[in-house]
Amino acid sequence: MPTKPRKQKRCLICSTEFQPMSSLHVVCSFGCSIKLLDRDKERRRLAAERNDRKATRKALDRIKTKSQRMKEAQAAFNRFIRLRDAGQPCISCGRFHDGQNHAGHYRTTKAAPELRFDERNVNLQCAPCNNHLSGNIVEYRRGLLAKFGQATVDQIEGPHDPKHYTIDDLIEIKRGYAKRARELTKGEE
Ligand SMILES: [Zn+2]
Ligand SMILES: [Zn+2]
C-alpha cells in the first residue's frame, strides 16, 4: 500500500530541501547531522558556562564580608549626597569648586559611626577642604548652621545611641540610596 510521500523539509543546517524519512529527520545528509551534533554540543557548553558564571557570581555575593557591604552602602550613600548637593558650594569654604567634590562627613565615621548615614551630617565638600584641611571643621560648622540651623547642629553634636547594622540593613541602605540617586539623575541623560 503506497504511503503518502512526506512533505519536503529544509535542512536545519544547510537549508537544502530534502525528503524526510520520519518526523525526527531534520538534516539532509550525514555531514549535516554531524554538524548538528556539534552545534548542539556547543550550545550546551555555552549554557553550562553561563550557569557556572551565574553560580560563581551568586557564591561571591554570598561570601561578601560585612565590611564590603558597609563600603558599598557608604559609597551609594555618598554618591547620593553628591547628587543631592550638585551645584551647591562647598559646605566649608563656600567656594564653587571646579575639581572633585566629595561627600564630607562633619562628624567623621570614626568619631560618630552612628551618623555615617545621616543626611544632615554629610554634605558636598570640595576636595581641598575634605582632604587637606581635615574637613575644615570650624568652617564646616558655620556652613551647617547656615544650611540647617542651630537645632540640627545641636542634634548632630549631641549624644546618640550606637547603631548596629546587619548585613541585610546594609544591603537595604545601598539599594535605597542607589534608587534615590537614580531618581535624581532621571532625565539627565
Ligand atoms: Zn544539510
Ligand atoms: Zn571647600
Side-chain angles (χ1 to χ4, degrees):
M1 201 173 123
T3 49
K4 209 173 128 212
R6 289 181 178 274
K7 254 178 80 189
Q8 296 270 101
K9 259 189 191 171
R10 275 193 188 283
C11 170
L12 264 187
I13 296 298
C14 71
S15 300
T16 306
E17 290 214 349
F18 71 102
Q19 187 68 52
M21 317 283 262
S22 77
S23 60
L24 299 175
H25 196 182
V26 292
V27 286
C28 69
S29 62
F30 180 68
C32 280
S33 73
I34 298 291
K35 282 186 190 147
L36 182 64
L37 284 177
D38 286 348
R39 192 191 72 179
D40 288 350
K41 208 170 130 193
E42 177 64 6
R43 281 185 181 172
R44 277 196 300 275
R45 192 182 67 75
L46 288 173
E49 239 176 38
R50 261 196 307 278
N51 283 338
D52 276 0
R53 276 200 298 274
K54 213 168 153 190
T56 307
R57 251 201 316 276
K58 270 192 175 164
L60 283 175
D61 209 57
R62 267 198 303 275
I63 59 168
K64 267 185 195 166
T65 62
K66 198 163 176 180
S67 86
Q68 273 173 297
R69 302 275 184 197
M70 180 63 89
K71 249 184 224 154
E72 291 179 6
Q74 192 72 65
F77 172 85
N78 290 358
R79 176 161 183 274
F80 163 76
I81 294 291
R82 287 197 304 274
L83 289 167
R84 181 198 68 184
D85 291 356
Q88 291 180 32
C90 168
I91 187 85
S92 300
C93 66
R95 290 185 315 142
F96 290 94
H97 187 62
D98 280 338
Q100 252 201 341
N101 284 302
H102 296 231
H105 283 71
Y106 173 58
R107 310 234 8 232
T108 64
T109 54
K110 220 174 217 162
E114 71 278 11
L115 297 178
R116 58 165 61 249
F117 300 121
D118 187 308
E119 292 176 24
R120 304 157 310 171
N121 184 51
V122 189
N123 297 274
L124 194 76
Q125 192 174 44
C126 74
C129 281
N130 192 242
N131 295 336
H132 309 305
L133 298 168
S134 301
N136 200 358
I137 221 64
V138 175
E139 294 302 320
Y140 198 145
R141 189 171 195 281
R142 216 191 297 269
L144 268 187
L145 277 171
K147 190 169 176 180
F148 295 111
Q150 185 69 54
T152 297
V153 174
D154 288 345
Q155 269 177 31
I156 294 174
E157 291 178 341
H160 312 102
D161 292 332
K163 280 204 175 115
H164 301 286
Y165 300 102
T166 64
I167 283 189
D168 284 342
D169 292 338
L170 295 171
I171 290 171
E172 209 33 64
I173 288 169
K174 177 186 171 187
R175 194 176 293 150
Y177 280 108
K179 181 161 177 265
R180 290 176 68 187
R182 270 199 305 282
E183 283 161 8
L184 286 178
T185 54
K186 219 180 254 171
E188 269 180 22
E189 275 98 83

